[in-house]
Amino acid sequence: MTINPLITKLTAPIQNKLSTLLLALSLSVCMSANAHDMIPAPAQSEALLFKNATIHTAIDGVKTNSDLLIEDGKITAIGTALVAPNVTVVDATEQHIYPGLIALDTSIGLVEVEMMRASNDSYEVGEINPQLEAVTAFNPDSEIIPTIRVNGITHAQVVPQGDSLAGQSSLVSLDSWTIEDALVPSTKGFHLYWPKQGSLSQDKEKRKKQLDEYNAQVKAVTTAFSNGYRYFLAHQAKKVKKTDLRWQALLPLYLGQAQLFVHANTQKQIEEAVSLAKQYQFKLIIVGGYDAWRLAELINEIEAKVIYTHTLSLPMRKDEPIDLSFKIPALLKQANIPFALGFSSDWNSRNLPLAAGQTVAYGLTQQDALKSVTLDAARMLGVDDMGAIAVGFKANLVLSQGDILDPMATKIKQVYIDGREIDLNNRQQQLYQKYLKR
């Protein structure tokens, strides 16, 4: 930044203040450039009646040539030949209606440009930060959000990134004016990134050092939860002398009112995470879960769940089949492990329907694949009125000409969140139209 010569003649304190002001102004201009200009939709003001649609309920099969009535943001009727007074009729003949997709384990709204630190709010310094809520950094005006919802994704779990105990996640709507508007009530979730051991060296000294480092990291995790538990006992006995925000935040977890999301992939990591959960009777959800299907008995014993995030990944090990990552959702289903699909990313979360569609080619049924990104995803977060098309559920809907899990055939026409029709314009479409005119 070039400083005006006049500034250089001023005293140092004034010069510093002016420089800071100029920097703040330049940053505000940069941030405004990262805000989309799509206006959030107003609350639903009139009833909508979709006629003659193919309705993929995700809870009660597929209903062909059916009608769907939504009022005040809720689904009020499903059937044939429905009628209602003062209603706007939408002809959905030869079209499909799906529940809005829910993206799990994302940093949507926390990251604008991954390589630009000033626009990446997904991480925080320190390793034990259970008091931090990722949603406080959520940007509802992110340019990325409109490019996500155009693929039928209406809601996202905003998750903190980091090492060890990174903080709390929240479920948000992808069409809102403010953070408060975006928040959707859900079960509180704490995120723990289990230490990674990596490949061990053949050299004895290096191998010992690697194991010592890993054991030290695991001990730090177990010590943190031990400290939190002692604080919990003192709190229950009303003997807390000094409030510690970290352990105060963890109280719902020990009370059974929150869930622990442990990001773990290997068998060793998952076994250690389950051991921790059993010790304190935590409600456990494994995120990643690459080896979870190998530990069905252990996972089902404590009624843990899995958010599988590697549907489009290569195998984790060199000696595994090339398509193992694609098959694991079907293996989880065969092992009766409750699971949902996630896509751990920000802008790339738009590929969630493609990931779900991939599972159909490798063993899951079409209905199970759809449920894994709608109803099962909602239940994973403790939400019981989203993720399906049923009377009483929120009217989060996607109207398309084809299969929502097939990117080549989808052709999404409209998206509704709580009955509100969402603007599907986005920066990518604007640039596409711009350069068509070149």
Side-chain angles (χ1 to χ4, degrees):
M1 179 185 298
T2 302
I3 304 296
N4 190 295
L6 178 61
I7 296 178
T8 61
K9 297 180 181 180
L10 300 175
T11 60
I14 296 177
Q15 181 178 335
N16 290 337
K17 288 181 179 179
L18 287 174
S19 298
T20 301
L21 177 60
L22 289 173
L23 178 60
L25 288 173
S26 65
L27 285 175
S28 67
V29 171
C30 292
M31 291 306 292
S32 65
N34 290 331
H36 70 72
D37 52 8
M38 272 54 78
I39 298 174
Q44 184 182 5
S45 58
E46 57 184 6
L48 290 177
L49 177 60
F50 298 89
K51 302 287 290 184
N52 306 317
T54 298
I55 302 174
H56 302 259
T57 67
I59 196 171
D60 189 28
V62 180
K63 301 181 181 297
T64 58
N65 297 319
S66 293
D67 301 344
L68 175 65
L69 179 64
I70 60 174
E71 301 174 278
D72 298 323
K74 297 274 189 176
I75 297 169
T76 55
I78 303 172
T80 56
L82 293 181
V83 293
N86 304 318
V87 66
T88 298
V89 177
V90 179
D91 184 7
T93 303
E94 297 185 355
Q95 296 182 38
H96 301 259
I97 301 179
Y98 292 89
L101 308 187
I102 301 172
L104 299 176
D105 193 39
T106 79
S107 51
I108 295 173
L110 302 181
V111 178
E112 201 67 30
V113 181
E114 292 179 355
M115 298 303 294
M116 191 170 75
R117 182 64 185 90
S119 72
N120 188 336
D121 292 321
S122 61
Y123 288 82
E124 186 54 271
V125 296
E127 295 186 349
I128 307 297
N129 294 308
Q131 76 281 8
L132 299 182
E133 299 180 353
V135 75
T136 59
F138 176 72
N139 175 20
D141 284 331
S142 168
E143 283 281 15
I144 291 175
I145 288 176
T147 71
I148 301 294
R149 64 193 186 199
V150 75
N151 279 5
I153 300 171
T154 60
H155 293 78
Q157 181 196 27
V158 179
V159 174
Q161 310 292 308
D163 300 313
S164 196
L165 195 51
Q168 304 173 36
S169 62
S170 298
L171 178 63
V172 297
S173 160
L174 295 185
D175 184 67
S176 66
W177 286 101
T178 65
I179 294 174
E180 290 75 18
D181 291 340
L183 274 173
V184 177
S186 59
T187 302
K188 187 182 291 289
F190 295 89
H191 287 258
L192 170 63
Y193 291 80
W194 201 266
K196 297 178 182 179
Q197 183 171 279
S199 300
L200 293 175
S201 172
Q202 296 298 319
D203 182 273
K204 288 186 178 181
E205 291 186 4
K206 291 182 179 179
R207 184 185 184 92
K208 183 179 182 304
K209 183 179 180 181
Q210 287 177 308
L211 291 172
D212 288 345
E213 289 177 353
Y214 177 79
N215 291 332
Q217 291 173 335
V218 172
K219 185 177 181 180
V221 169
T222 56
T223 298
F225 281 99
S226 176
N227 291 339
Y229 185 64
R230 286 200 298 271
Y231 186 93
F232 163 72
L233 293 177
H235 181 271
Q236 293 296 92
K238 298 182 179 180
K239 293 183 178 180
V240 174
K241 296 180 180 179
K242 184 178 180 181
T243 300
D244 188 311
L245 294 180
R246 297 172 301 168
W247 314 137
Q248 189 74 24
L250 272 179
L251 290 179
L253 189 60
Y254 293 100
L255 288 167
Q257 300 169 355
Q259 300 182 119
L260 180 64
F261 293 78
V262 179
H263 296 250
N265 283 295
T266 68
Q267 184 169 330
K268 181 179 178 65
Q269 287 179 308
I270 295 172
E271 287 173 342
E272 292 174 336
V274 169
S275 177
L276 176 70
K278 288 176 68 175
Q279 181 178 353
Y280 298 108
Q281 298 183 331
F282 290 154
K283 297 176 181 178
L284 177 65
I285 295 179
I286 301 294
V287 183
Y290 187 87
D291 281 343
W293 64 278
R294 306 176 191 272
L295 301 167
E297 185 176 349
L298 184 66
I299 290 173
N300 289 331
E301 179 186 348
I302 64 168
E303 299 181 347
K305 303 173 184 177
V306 173
I307 297 176
Y308 181 67
T309 62
H310 300 285
T311 304
L312 300 182
S313 301
L314 292 173
M316 194 168 68
R317 304 174 182 93
K318 294 180 180 180
D319 59 347
E320 292 177 334
I322 189 67
D323 58 355
L324 179 59
S325 296
F326 312 150
K327 293 179 177 179
I328 288 177
L331 295 173
L332 291 170
K333 180 69 177 179
Q334 292 172 17
N336 294 317
I337 298 175
F339 75 95
L341 296 183
F343 209 98
S344 306
S345 181
D346 38 85
W347 65 271
N348 208 25
S349 296
R350 72 192 71 185
N351 283 325
L352 179 65
L354 171 61
Q358 177 87 337
T359 67
V360 179
Y362 287 88
L364 274 191
T365 66
Q366 187 88 6
Q367 291 303 304
D368 285 335
L370 178 63
K371 283 180 61 179
S372 71
V373 292
T374 53
L375 183 61
D376 291 338
R379 289 173 171 172
M380 198 72 63
L381 303 180
V383 180
D384 58 8
D385 62 352
M386 281 176 51
I389 299 178
V391 174
F393 275 55
K394 292 182 179 179
N396 302 320
L397 308 171
V398 181
L399 181 66
S400 72
Q401 290 184 351
D403 183 357
I404 197 172
L405 303 185
D406 182 354
M408 300 300 292
T410 302
K411 296 182 180 178
I412 290 174
K413 297 185 64 178
Q414 294 170 333
V415 172
Y416 298 85
I417 297 179
D418 295 332
R420 302 177 291 115
E421 184 176 350
I422 306 306
D423 186 352
L424 294 184
N425 193 9
N426 60 73
R427 185 66 64 198
Q428 291 177 344
Q429 291 184 1
Q430 291 169 354
L431 290 174
Y432 175 73
Q433 294 299 325
K434 172 183 175 180
Y435 287 102
L436 279 179
K437 297 177 174 63
R438 184 177 179 185

